[in-house]
């Protein structure tokens, strides 16, 4: 364990620590964040009245829309100059969700990721092949900081360029790899194709997250790479990856580092807290964040909690796997995408109409997304009302250029490559009174 005294803190002591931090953080945001002062005033909550965990349900939820409404820096509790770093992830519209960290927040981030890596089996002196994306996304730099804190040798490979990843894994001989579960499957498959057996690989542990996965995928990765893989969970709004991690001993639920992130599971419709074991929306209150503390943040992720003692000795509550979401957020190769983001891009392109459908498939181990979108009536007339078959599009430079333009703008805005299919006016599905299926996710089992 990275911080054994904290990770095995007896539950009554943990609770006392949480309650002290909870009352502090509520007073802190009330004092420093005008948004929270308003929210709490409107809810009729006296910050001084929040002292125990039983008071938690009195607090209103913070939702993704609140972040959007306060874009970019409106929820920060410290002056911009005090931020040491900014990260961002996909928002529900064209604008990203922005999060900030003070120096101290980065220290906490590194600590919880170090705990996560240690829980996953990593030890000081081991080498980490970090294939999470570096950049605005919290994955790459998040794992990086935690691995350094733990005393590992970090190889900041970032995502993509599979050929190079395979070479570096064989040449550098890392013991630990971090990436999305689907990318771990890809690496396993590519090694197999090249006749490299798991026994030849140096890898012992894999830390996988950023997208939902199953025991079937776990088996494939464990056998394909010769590792024992664990789940890492997190989200930028709360800190990034490392909010929770499975212990490599049990791999039965992920320990939430609840001295920093106070979890609840609530009913998706009523918002009422649910008892242990019941599936609902995971909600977090940050207990120690300085730059962007959040009260009762509605993650949209569906799971359950268990307080049962774990054989690893950690006392922190465990969450189950993510079973779904309450909103229409898609996760494509670990990257969050909202249909509304796609819609915002399409609205900015005069030659197309925001009538569209997103089809997601899993080809082999990787997600493939197709965006079907209608060209505008004016553009359709301009090109002579041609049938939009692939051959016609390839032959007509205007259609070809339009398809490239849409693909580029989507990639720029969402970070995801989509195959664009142009449809004639009226060809995209329309709502017939019921809910329109904008997204067809064919990955579901
Ligand atoms: P991350 O870098 O952890 O992916 P983002 O803020 O980009 O952070 O995305 C957070 C969302 O990603 C979560 O709300 C959840 O839907 C999904 N996610 C992250 N980790 C996991 C995981 N281990 N299992 C399932 N979903 C996950
Ligand atoms: K994600
Ligand atoms: Zn455990």
């Amino acid at each position: 364990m990275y911080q054994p005294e904290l990770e095995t803190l007896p539950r009554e002591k943990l609770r006392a620590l949480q309650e002290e931090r909870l009352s502090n953080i509520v007073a802190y945001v009330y004092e420093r964040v005008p948004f929270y002062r308003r929210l709490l005033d409107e809810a009729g909550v006296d910050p001084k009245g929040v002292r125990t965990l039983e008071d938690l349900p009195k607090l209103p939820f913070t939702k993704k829309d609140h972040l959007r409404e306060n874009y970019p820096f409106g929820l920060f509790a410290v002056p911009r100059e005090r931020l040491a770093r900014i990260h961002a992830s996909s928002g529900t519209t064209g604008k990203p969700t922005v999060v900030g960290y003070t120096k101290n927040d980065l220290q906490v981030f590194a600590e919880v990721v170090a705990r996560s890596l240690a829980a996953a089996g990593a030890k000081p002196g081991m080498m980490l092949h970090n294939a999470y994306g570096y950049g605005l996304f919290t994955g790459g730099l998040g794992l990086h900081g935690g691995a350094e804190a733990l005393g590992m040798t970090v190889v900041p490979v970032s995502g993509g360029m599979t050929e190079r990843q395979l070479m570096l894994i064989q040449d550098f001989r890392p013991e630990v790899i971090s990436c999305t579960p689907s990318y771990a499957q890809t690496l396993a498959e590519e090694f197999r194709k090249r006749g490299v057996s798991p026994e030849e690989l140096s890898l012992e542990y894999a830390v996988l997250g950023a997208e939902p996965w199953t025991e079937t995928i776990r088996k494939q990765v464990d056998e394909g790479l010769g590792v024992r893989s664990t789940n890492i969970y997190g989200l930028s709004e709360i800190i990034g990856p490392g909010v929770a991690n499975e212990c490599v001993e049990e791999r039965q639920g992920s320990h939430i580092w609840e001295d920093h992130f106070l979890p609840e599971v609530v009913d998706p419709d009523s918002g009422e807290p649910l008892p242990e074991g019941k599936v609902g929306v995971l909600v977090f209150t940050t207990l120690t964040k300085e730059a962007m503390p959040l009260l009762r943040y509605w993650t949209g992720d569906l799971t359950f909690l268990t307080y049962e003692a774990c054989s690893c000795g950690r006392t922190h509550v465990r969450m189950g796997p993510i079973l779904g979401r309450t909103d229409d957020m898609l996760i494509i190769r670990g990257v969050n995408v909202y249909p509304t983001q796609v819609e915002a891009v399409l609205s900015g392109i005069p030659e197309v109409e925001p009538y569209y459908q997103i089809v997601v498939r899993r080809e082999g181990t990787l997600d493939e997304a197709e965006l079907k979108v209608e060209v505008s009536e004016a553009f359709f007339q301009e090109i002579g009302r041609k049938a939009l078959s692939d051959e016609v599009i390839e032959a007509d430079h205007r259609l070809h250029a339009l398809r490239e333009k849409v693909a580029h703008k989507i990639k720029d805005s969402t970070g995801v490559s989509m195959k664009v299919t142009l449809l004639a006016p009226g060809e995209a599905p329309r709502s017939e009174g019921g809910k329109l299926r904008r997204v067809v996710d064919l990955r579901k089992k």
Side-chain angles (χ1 to χ4, degrees):
M1 286 182 214
Y2 179 65
Q3 290 173 315
E5 20 5 285
L6 290 168
E7 293 174 55
T8 63
L9 205 61
R11 287 216 59 93
E12 59 286 6
K13 288 206 173 136
L14 186 53
R15 186 189 169 100
L17 181 64
Q18 289 174 324
E19 294 188 333
E20 183 196 322
R21 288 178 169 177
L22 175 65
S23 67
N24 287 342
I25 207 75
V26 173
Y28 178 88
V29 297
Y30 191 78
E31 183 67 30
R32 289 170 174 250
V33 186
F35 161 78
Y36 272 123
R37 177 173 291 245
R38 231 178 309 117
L39 196 72
L40 294 176
D41 282 347
E42 279 165 14
V45 177
D46 174 7
K48 289 190 202 68
V50 182
R51 292 157 187 273
T52 74
L53 298 189
E54 277 74 47
D55 298 322
L56 204 50
K58 290 186 201 161
L59 298 173
F61 294 110
T62 307
K63 300 226 167 151
K64 191 109 181 172
D65 274 350
H66 292 133
L67 272 68
R68 183 168 58 81
E69 287 155 17
N70 290 283
Y71 175 86
F73 299 158
L75 288 184
F76 290 168
V78 298
R80 213 279 302 137
E81 296 74 24
R82 273 205 58 212
L83 298 181
R85 198 193 291 167
I86 288 173
H87 276 292
S89 75
S90 310
T92 47
T93 62
K95 298 285 189 191
T97 297
V98 178
V99 298
Y101 306 75
T102 62
K103 271 221 157 67
N104 193 59
D105 292 336
L106 288 180
Q107 163 94 25
V108 170
F109 194 6
E111 278 176 21
V112 294
V113 173
R115 284 187 203 177
S116 298
L117 286 164
K123 288 172 195 65
M126 283 185 175
M127 185 187 286
L128 176 70
H129 180 99
N130 185 17
Y132 268 120
Y134 280 68
L136 278 177
F137 175 61
T138 47
L141 284 165
L143 264 292
H144 190 108
E148 282 188 350
L150 181 60
M152 300 181 78
T153 307
V154 195
V155 187
V157 196
S158 197
M161 300 217 265
T162 303
E163 204 61 53
R164 194 182 62 172
Q165 307 248 1
L166 301 175
M167 178 184 78
L168 295 181
I169 292 170
Q170 289 178 94
D171 295 348
F172 291 5
R173 302 194 63 74
E175 289 90 352
V176 188
I177 183 170
S178 48
C179 59
T180 59
S182 55
Y183 198 56
Q185 281 180 291
T186 300
L187 294 173
E189 196 171 277
E190 293 302 319
F191 275 127
R192 190 180 52 76
K193 280 189 196 155
R194 286 163 182 74
V196 180
S197 74
E199 295 76 46
E200 292 170 65
L201 296 173
S202 54
L203 293 171
E204 295 170 34
Y205 303 107
V207 191
L208 311 178
E211 65 186 10
W213 54 308
T214 58
E215 290 303 321
T216 314
I217 298 178
R218 166 134 55 200
K219 196 158 174 282
Q220 279 177 12
V221 172
D222 283 7
E223 288 173 3
L225 294 177
V227 294
R228 217 173 138 74
S229 56
T230 55
N231 182 52
I232 186 164
Y233 169 86
L235 62 165
S236 335
E237 294 90 323
I238 299 307
I239 203 149
V243 170
N245 207 101
E246 279 175 334
C247 54
V248 71
E249 298 91 330
E250 286 292 334
R251 304 200 294 182
Q252 292 288 331
S254 306
H255 290 282
I256 297 173
W257 309 123
E258 53 173 327
D259 49 335
H260 294 293
F261 319 112
L262 182 60
E264 297 169 86
V265 165
V266 305
D267 184 288
D269 300 316
S270 69
E272 289 302 317
L274 292 174
E276 176 175 359
K278 287 269 178 296
V279 174
V281 184
L282 187 58
V283 167
F284 285 106
T285 299
T286 64
L287 294 175
T288 53
K289 282 266 286 293
E290 291 180 343
M292 205 180 98
L294 295 178
L295 303 183
R296 301 192 87 205
Y297 184 69
W298 184 278
T299 64
D301 291 320
L302 295 168
T303 188
F304 56 89
L305 297 177
T306 171
Y307 289 88
E308 223 174 89
C310 187
S311 72
C312 73
R314 292 179 182 83
T315 51
H316 293 221
V317 65
R318 282 173 287 163
M319 57 182 270
I322 302 301
L323 302 168
R325 291 197 43 92
T326 53
D327 61 15
D328 51 6
M329 183 177 95
L330 277 164
I331 304 182
I332 301 173
R333 300 190 183 190
V335 180
N336 309 351
V337 184
Y338 287 91
T340 45
Q341 268 180 289
V342 169
E343 199 163 314
V345 172
L346 298 179
S347 302
I349 306 175
E351 299 92 329
V352 298
E353 296 291 342
Y355 289 119
Y356 66 95
Q357 192 172 46
I358 303 165
V359 184
V360 193
R361 300 181 179 86
R362 183 154 282 176
E363 309 281 355
T365 60
L366 282 183
D367 302 328
E368 302 290 347
E370 178 185 7
L371 172 63
K372 299 180 178 180
V373 60
E374 277 182 22
V375 302
S376 69
E377 185 58 50
F379 185 74
F380 197 50
Q381 300 231 352
E382 194 187 310
I383 58 155
R385 308 186 70 86
K386 285 183 196 154
L388 299 180
S389 67
D390 281 351
E391 300 80 65
V392 170
I393 293 169
E394 290 305 333
D396 187 318
H397 74 276
R398 290 166 302 182
L399 284 165
H400 191 86
L402 176 59
R403 197 173 61 183
E404 299 296 297
K405 175 161 132 185
V406 174
H408 262 110
K409 293 203 171 201
I410 292 286
K411 168 83 189 179
D412 275 355
S413 160
T414 65
V416 169
S417 301
M418 297 193 188
K419 171 180 183 279
V420 175
T421 302
L422 299 176
L423 303 176
E427 280 188 352
R430 300 284 195 279
S431 167
E432 278 151 24
K435 204 168 138 63
L436 179 58
R437 272 182 86 206
R438 287 258 188 244
V439 172
V440 180
D441 194 340
L442 301 172
R443 293 172 297 182
K444 307 238 164 76
K445 356 79 294 217

